[in-house]
Amino acid sequence: MTWTYSGDPEVNPMDAVRFFLGDTDPDDPQFGDQEILYLLKKNNGNIYLATADGARSLAGRYSRRADKSVGDLRLSLGQQAGHYWDLAKRMQIEAGKRVRPY
């Protein structure tokens, strides 16, 4: 899986999607470059809609995993899924704000 992030979301749409998703850590990649490019193509280059689709994908991924606890340590993947669902909703709203009338 190829993963790149140049740190320039203003110029690079793939970086913008990664920035909004929080997928900027090379040691913990969430999506490969080809997947981000697919999301952008599917959404006609709209970074907000691409991010919303990516967030829904991550929400689904984390929804499948069980919460875990060992002693006092708790890992709540269900909560992580909820955060991605919320991000998807916010990005969908943001995309709607940027629609231009004909």
Side-chain angles (χ1 to χ4, degrees), residues 64-76:
R64 296 182 50 166
R65 298 181 182 174
D67 292 349
K68 299 173 185 173
S69 63
V70 176
D72 292 336
L73 178 64
R74 295 201 55 186
L75 179 60
S76 179

Side-chain angles (χ1 to χ4, degrees), residues 75-95:
L75 179 60
S76 179
L77 295 171
Q79 186 178 24
Q80 194 172 10
H83 290 302
Y84 281 114
W85 283 119
D86 291 343
L87 175 61
K89 291 177 199 170
R90 288 194 319 270
M91 290 293 110
Q92 198 78 39
I93 290 167
E94 191 65 32

Side-chain angles (χ1 to χ4, degrees), residues 47-60:
I47 60 172
Y48 301 102
L49 292 176
T51 301
D53 276 352
R56 282 189 285 273
S57 175
L58 290 173

Side-chain angles (χ1 to χ4, degrees), residues 40-54:
L40 285 163
K41 183 177 178 181
K42 178 179 177 266
N43 290 286
N44 297 317
N46 185 308
I47 60 172
Y48 301 102
L49 292 176
T51 301
D53 276 352

Side-chain angles (χ1 to χ4, degrees), residues 14-15 79 92 99:
M14 190 163 59
D15 280 2
Q79 186 178 24
Q92 198 78 39
V99 173

